[in-house]
Amino acid sequence: KLAFYVALCSIHNLHFPYQRWYLYGLVLFFVPLLFQTFRQYFGPRIRRRRDRGFNRGALWYAVLYDSIVCLTNLQNNLLMLAMCSAGLFYTVAIPILLLDIFYTSATLQRVAQAIIVPMKPLSVTLYVFLITALVYATLGYRNFDNQFVYDEVGAELEAYFEKDPVSCNSVLTCFELVLYKAMPSGDMSSVLDDVDRLGNKFTARMLFDLSFFIWVGILLFNVVTGLIVDTFSQLREESIAREDQLENECFVCGFTRPAYDDLGTEYNFDDHVHDEHDIWNYLFFIAYLNEKDVNEYNGVESYVSKMLRNQNLEWIPLRTSWRLETDHQFKKRMELQGVSEVTDLKNTFKAEMVAMKETIMNEVKNEIDELKATTKTLLKELHEGHLNHMNKHFGDFGGRGGRGSTTGLGHGNDDVEGTPDNERGGTDLHGRASGLGRASV
């Protein structure tokens, strides 16, 4: 980043004389970055030497840096001190002291946070503003270079005295003009002279001005407004939720005000928070354990110290306290509540199982009905095909039996007239064949 900044300043210095903003930009952007780099460098070295003692220089630097960056009151005092000192030499610094209201008003702090929190998307939007100004400055300089004006009154006076109006003579000067006058108003007509409706460039100029107004005056400005308004609303909701949680919920055990007050008239939530579960008492106890010799710990202190080393918070009470644990009525009420919860859970589980059983039985019944219908259809089709095949087969066989039936009938007559018994079987056979043939037909 520093190399890029130096290269940018060097390239700019080749075309323009030295300007003071080179040094201002270096101090404003890179001195805080240098301090942040030192903080990141010293941080791991403090933790690394903890077993052999603290690195006091790195520790003091980290504490000082974190205090300046994180403590709002300290920032306010340092800024006021700097402005008072600067006011001794520059009177312009004196009115800045009136901005102290941002540190005393919670509403103005949220307004400031609404701009600081979405700084990344706002920075990207500002970059789009710069690109837009550069693009339109380039297009305007290439197509409407003689129409750029810095001041309409000055242009009229110069036209009156028959002088060429002052206009931009390069893309950079047109960029500065667009960024200075056209961007705040969202209208390119602020920097371009009026165009003749009958001129050759009227249509191009109309599209040029209209596209700039739609893109900058409507879209980009609304994007910035939307980011700030949405962030402000979100911060306000988070602030209300945080205040409600701090006021109506115990920070230590998580008991809410309504739940604690429902335990009985002898229980007061405010007394519970400020006396029984005072957060400062827990903090002092942790500090006491850090200062006390490990060999002098009792059982409770050893247990809590071990939990702290393992970063385990199970030693902190959860929705209970010493008073509630020793209260017989509370124990009885909690037991009844536990039995009630188990009963409700059992009933719920039973109802869910019954509903699941009915659902499964209905699904199985539907599948069985579908399987029966499918099987019945297949058997019907198979039976019809088999009958057709049998009719066709026995029809052919009946035709051959019909031709032999005549002989059978003749033999039958001979049998009546005295044919021997051993020839009746042949006659019977032909008779059955004849009958079968007739039945087949």
Side-chain angles (χ1 to χ4, degrees):
K1 294 179 181 179
L2 181 61
F4 175 77
Y5 181 77
V6 172
L8 178 64
C9 295
S10 302
I11 294 173
H12 190 272
N13 195 32
L14 294 176
H15 301 278
F16 300 94
Y18 172 79
Q19 297 183 9
R20 191 175 296 177
W21 63 264
Y22 297 161
L23 182 60
Y24 292 161
L26 182 64
V27 173
L28 182 62
F29 293 105
F30 291 100
V31 170
L33 183 62
L34 182 64
F35 289 151
Q36 182 182 4
T37 304
F38 285 157
R39 174 63 180 87
Q40 295 175 353
Y41 175 79
F42 288 131
R45 283 153 181 78
I46 297 174
R47 293 191 295 268
R48 188 180 304 170
R49 296 188 56 182
R50 186 166 183 175
D51 53 343
R52 296 178 295 174
F54 291 105
N55 186 342
R56 294 189 176 275
L59 177 62
W60 278 108
Y61 178 81
V63 170
L64 181 62
Y65 179 86
D66 293 344
S67 300
I68 295 175
V69 172
C70 300
L71 298 180
T72 306
N73 293 331
L74 181 60
Q75 294 174 0
N76 181 27
N77 296 331
L78 291 177
L79 181 60
M80 294 300 104
L81 179 62
M83 291 299 103
C84 290
S85 302
L88 299 175
F89 305 97
Y90 305 98
T91 57
V92 69
I94 300 298
I96 300 179
L97 295 173
L98 298 176
L99 296 177
D100 182 61
I101 190 174
F102 278 92
Y103 290 94
T104 59
S105 175
T107 303
L108 291 179
Q109 288 181 5
R110 285 196 294 268
V111 172
Q113 289 294 323
I115 301 175
I116 297 174
V117 171
M119 186 58 67
K120 185 175 181 180
L122 286 178
S123 302
V124 175
T125 308
L126 177 61
Y127 179 69
V128 175
F129 270 105
L130 297 177
I131 293 176
T132 302
L134 181 60
V135 170
Y136 276 89
T138 305
L139 294 176
Y141 179 74
R142 297 300 180 187
N143 298 283
F144 314 106
D145 57 336
N146 58 346
Q147 298 181 15
F148 278 92
V149 291
Y150 280 92
D151 189 2
E152 295 181 359
V153 178
E156 293 177 358
L157 291 176
E158 290 170 352
Y160 178 78
F161 289 105
E162 297 181 353
K163 295 181 180 180
D164 295 334
V166 178
S167 180
C168 54
N169 53 11
S170 65
V171 175
L172 182 60
T173 54
C174 290
F175 170 72
E176 294 175 351
L177 181 60
V178 171
L179 195 63
Y180 172 62
K181 298 192 69 176
M183 279 294 178
S185 62
D187 187 7
M188 283 297 294
S189 61
S190 302
V191 296
L192 292 176
D193 196 4
D194 295 335
V195 62
D196 186 7
R197 185 174 63 85
L198 301 177
N200 296 328
K201 295 184 178 181
F202 176 76
T203 303
R205 173 66 185 280
M206 179 187 67
L207 296 176
F208 185 74
D209 293 354
L210 185 61
S211 61
F212 184 86
F213 172 72
I214 294 175
W215 175 245
V216 177
I218 297 178
L219 296 179
L220 290 182
F221 282 154
N222 287 335
V223 167
V224 174
T225 305
L227 287 173
I228 296 176
V229 171
D230 291 345
T231 305
F232 181 78
S233 301
Q234 181 180 358
L235 291 175
R236 183 176 59 184
E237 293 175 357
E238 291 178 355
S239 177
I240 294 174
R242 181 169 57 253
E243 292 176 358
D244 180 74
Q245 184 176 8
L246 292 176
E247 184 178 357
N248 298 313
E249 184 175 341
C250 179
F251 183 82
V252 176
C253 68
F255 241 128
T256 59
R257 182 184 294 271
Y260 194 84
D261 292 339
D262 290 341
L263 296 177
T265 57
E266 65 275 12
Y267 297 101
N268 184 271
F269 181 78
D270 294 329
D271 295 338
H272 168 76
V273 172
H274 295 98
D275 296 335
E276 300 176 14
H277 284 171
D278 188 3
I279 184 175
W280 290 106
N281 292 335
Y282 284 85
L283 181 61
F284 294 152
F285 180 67
I286 294 174
Y288 165 77
L289 292 180
N290 291 332
E291 295 295 333
K292 188 176 181 179
D293 188 4
V294 179
N295 297 323
E296 298 179 359
Y297 282 168
N298 56 25
V300 176
E301 293 172 350
S302 300
Y303 171 76
V304 175
S305 178
K306 181 179 179 181
M307 287 289 184
L308 290 175
R309 287 196 302 269
N310 297 331
Q311 297 183 355
N312 191 341
L313 300 179
E314 293 182 358
W315 64 278
I316 296 178
L318 179 63
R319 295 181 61 84
T320 185
S321 66
W322 175 257
R323 180 184 179 185
L324 296 177
E325 291 289 342
T326 56
D327 190 349
H328 178 71
Q329 294 181 358
F330 174 75
K331 287 185 177 181
K332 186 176 180 180
R333 190 181 300 111
M334 292 301 294
E335 291 177 357
L336 293 177
Q337 182 179 357
V339 173
S340 177
E341 292 179 355
V342 171
T343 304
D344 294 340
L345 183 62
K346 180 179 179 181
N347 295 333
T348 303
F349 180 75
K350 184 177 180 180
E352 291 178 355
M353 292 300 296
V354 170
M356 186 183 298
K357 179 181 178 181
E358 293 178 355
T359 303
I360 294 174
M361 292 298 294
N362 291 332
E363 292 178 356
V364 171
K365 182 179 179 181
N366 294 333
E367 291 180 359
I368 291 175
D369 293 340
E370 293 178 359
L371 184 60
K372 286 182 178 180
T374 305
T375 306
K376 185 176 180 180
T377 304
L378 292 175
L379 290 175
K380 183 178 179 181
E381 294 177 355
L382 183 62
H383 181 65
E384 292 177 353
H386 182 68
L387 289 179
N388 294 333
H389 178 72
M390 291 293 293
N391 290 335
K392 182 178 178 182
H393 176 73
F394 286 111
D396 295 339
F397 180 75
R400 292 192 296 270
R403 287 189 299 269
S405 61
T406 306
T407 308
L409 289 174
H411 288 290
N413 294 330
D414 294 337
D415 183 62
V416 173
E417 294 176 359
T419 305
D421 291 338
N422 56 355
E423 295 180 2
R424 290 179 184 177
T427 305
D428 248 359
L429 179 60
H430 288 291
R432 290 194 189 96
S434 176
L436 184 57
R438 289 193 299 271
S440 299
V441 175

